[in-house]
Amino acid sequence: MKSLPAAERPKTAAYPTQDDPFARPVVESMQKQLEALGVKTVFSKVYPPDTSNFQTTASAIAAKKPDLIAQGAVFEDGVGLVRSLKQVGYSPKLLFQTSAPSNAGQYSDGIGAGNTEGVFYTVSWNEKAQTPKNDEFVKAYAAKFDNETPAEDAADAFAAAEVLQQAVEKVGSLDQTKIADWLHGNETSTILGPLSWDETGAPQNNFLLAQWQNGEVQIVGPTEAATTQEVVNPKPAWN
């Protein structure tokens, strides 16, 4: 947002989020940071994880006409809100969802491939990343699973194993306390990039900012990890 010319920044935003330990903190942090940049909050709502009907929420958001909708969405709720926004005829200039759009084919099937264009989301990994062992991981996965591209969860699982291996090798034992102490003070190398934690175990690294472009996922930030210099802004209207 800071890199955008003032005329291209959103002036208002809506923040619907599932009451989920991953999604909610992301959106709440985003809301706080964007308010500090002068983006006015016009809608904010936390909904239960079992919510399946988003018609009322979509109608309430549409009535406020926010430039940006930032949704803390896991998967079904992300698809559900987009479908409801289409039904009420409201398309924001910018749409961000936490992890729902990372479900690749399921997401595009759920909302329609044409409606993915310009959608932003956070992701921990990308198959094009030039990180240590990533090429080997992608090739090995494809060889084992009929040329499929790994899902983000598969990459996260592999990275978790890399972290554990490095810690065990450095500590020289399986002692959980020693492993934790080492990880709290040292950086590890993974296919997600370097990972580290502070003395309390809190991660010290950032997610990637991804965007659907022309039916494919591109990394648009941070700059050093970007797979394209282009950013779709504003988001096209729904199909």
Side-chain angles (χ1 to χ4, degrees), residues 125-129 133-144 147-150 191:
W125 170 85
N126 183 267
E127 68 271 19
K128 302 173 187 174
K133 298 184 180 178
N134 195 44
D135 283 344
E136 296 95 317
F137 169 70
V138 173
K139 290 175 182 176
Y141 191 97
K144 187 173 180 63
N147 292 316
E148 287 289 326
T149 298
I191 60 172

Side-chain angles (χ1 to χ4, degrees), residues 203-214:
Q204 300 301 291
N205 310 92
N206 295 319
F207 277 92
L208 304 173
L209 180 63
Q211 185 182 49
W212 278 87
Q213 297 181 8
N214 299 314

